[in-house]
Amino acid sequence: TATHSRQQGIRTHQRKRRVESVLMGGIPVTTPERTLVDIATKVGLVQLVQACEWMIHRGHTTAERIAVFAVSSHLDGVRRLRRVLGHVRTGAESPMETLVRLMIVFARLPEPACKMVIVDAVGRFVARGDLVYADLKVLIEYDGWHHERDARQRQRDLVRREQLEAAGWRVIVITIADPAERQLYLVAPDESDGRWRARMFASGFGIAEDPATGSAACALAGLLATAKPDGPADWVIEQGVEMGRRS
């Protein structure tokens, strides 16, 4: 039952039975698993996955404990938590990193591995990647503001990327401005050899999804050509399929 509070922005609730709690900073609060169930009715799917992975990263809970609680409990919000369990991963270290991975997954592209250790040809450590396609040697990284504002961090990033490129990896860097202000172009191999499926999102420009982007398709063809320098090749790049406007 909701009751009023004299503190602005705080809404109190009463329960007939005692709610399990833990101490954080000397203050009794609901357990991480119960908290996730409680907020499940207030946030969307992406935010709920972000909350789960952030709590796991901070060491407050584990994916296994969240799953057990979701399956064994019968509380308002638990069904929504159960629905996102399949998207929760261990290894994500920031909510934005989770967002980038989910954007890839929801575009029906192969899911990258989280926080994979990358080594060179002789097994020496090169980097620990955010989102990794090991078979393609593609690394996707999210860089927050501190990567731009901290000169030492920026220098370390440059050296690290040079080492990755020297080891044959392609590094794709996504910054905090990218999801809102720039275009996102996603590609994936189709079932047939030589066929590629592409999707273009540019919400920052008022375009939810573009069914036909010739310039981006040409750039993809150029990239594919660099990966196959030993002779002519044919590719079919399709876009707008999911929109019902194949091009």
Side-chain angles (χ1 to χ4, degrees):
T1 303
T3 61
H4 296 288
S5 171
R6 294 181 180 179
Q7 298 294 325
Q8 186 176 2
I10 296 178
R11 188 178 184 185
T12 61
H13 297 264
Q14 294 179 346
R15 293 288 186 268
K16 293 181 179 180
R17 298 183 179 87
R18 181 181 178 182
V19 177
E20 183 182 358
S21 64
V22 295
L23 289 176
M24 292 194 68
I27 301 174
V29 297
T30 52
T31 64
E33 299 79 25
R34 174 59 188 264
T35 301
L36 291 169
V37 170
D38 288 341
I39 69 172
T41 60
K42 309 296 183 183
V43 301
L45 182 150
V46 171
Q47 290 175 307
L48 188 54
V49 175
Q50 288 175 313
C52 290
E53 295 187 350
W54 181 245
M55 285 194 178
I56 293 172
H57 170 60
R58 299 293 293 178
H60 297 311
T61 186
T62 65
E64 292 75 17
R65 283 164 54 186
I66 295 173
V68 169
F69 188 86
V71 171
S72 62
S73 300
H74 303 280
L75 302 166
D76 188 24
V78 75
R79 289 185 178 181
R80 296 195 67 182
L81 182 60
R82 291 170 186 167
R83 284 199 292 267
V84 307
L85 289 177
H87 294 295
V88 175
R89 301 290 180 268
T90 299
E93 296 181 353
S94 76
M96 288 302 294
E97 185 181 315
T98 299
L99 174 61
V100 172
R101 190 188 78 250
L102 291 177
M103 289 173 69
I104 295 171
V105 172
F106 293 159
R108 300 182 183 181
L109 295 173
E111 182 174 351
C114 290
K115 288 295 180 287
M116 177 179 289
V117 173
I118 298 172
V119 298
D120 62 15
V122 295
R124 292 176 299 191
F125 176 84
V126 176
R128 184 167 171 265
D130 288 350
L131 302 170
V132 181
Y133 291 104
D135 54 338
L136 300 174
K137 280 196 168 184
V138 172
L139 168 62
I140 303 172
E141 303 226 281
Y142 173 78
D143 283 358
W145 282 124
H146 71 283
H147 288 268
E148 296 297 329
R149 294 174 177 173
D150 188 327
R152 292 184 179 180
Q153 180 64 53
R154 187 164 59 251
Q155 181 61 31
R156 287 195 294 267
D157 290 342
L158 289 173
V159 172
R160 179 173 175 272
R161 285 164 194 163
E162 288 176 354
Q163 293 173 337
L164 284 163
E165 290 171 357
W169 283 77
R170 176 174 176 79
V171 182
I172 300 172
V173 180
I174 297 175
T175 68
I176 193 169
D178 285 327
E181 299 180 5
R182 299 184 184 178
Q183 298 177 346
L184 179 63
Y185 188 64
L186 304 173
V187 299
D190 209 333
E191 295 181 357
S192 303
D193 185 37
R195 301 184 69 90
W196 290 77
R197 184 81 59 81
R199 302 185 73 178
M200 169 67 86
F201 305 91
S203 57
F205 296 96
I207 302 173
E209 183 172 354
D210 193 335
T213 314
S215 58
C218 289
L220 172 60
L223 176 62
L224 293 172
T226 62
K228 188 179 178 59
D230 54 348
D234 295 323
W235 299 285
V236 175
I237 303 173
E238 294 184 318
Q239 193 170 330
V241 176
E242 289 77 9
M243 302 175 66
R245 298 172 62 185
R246 186 186 297 268
S247 65

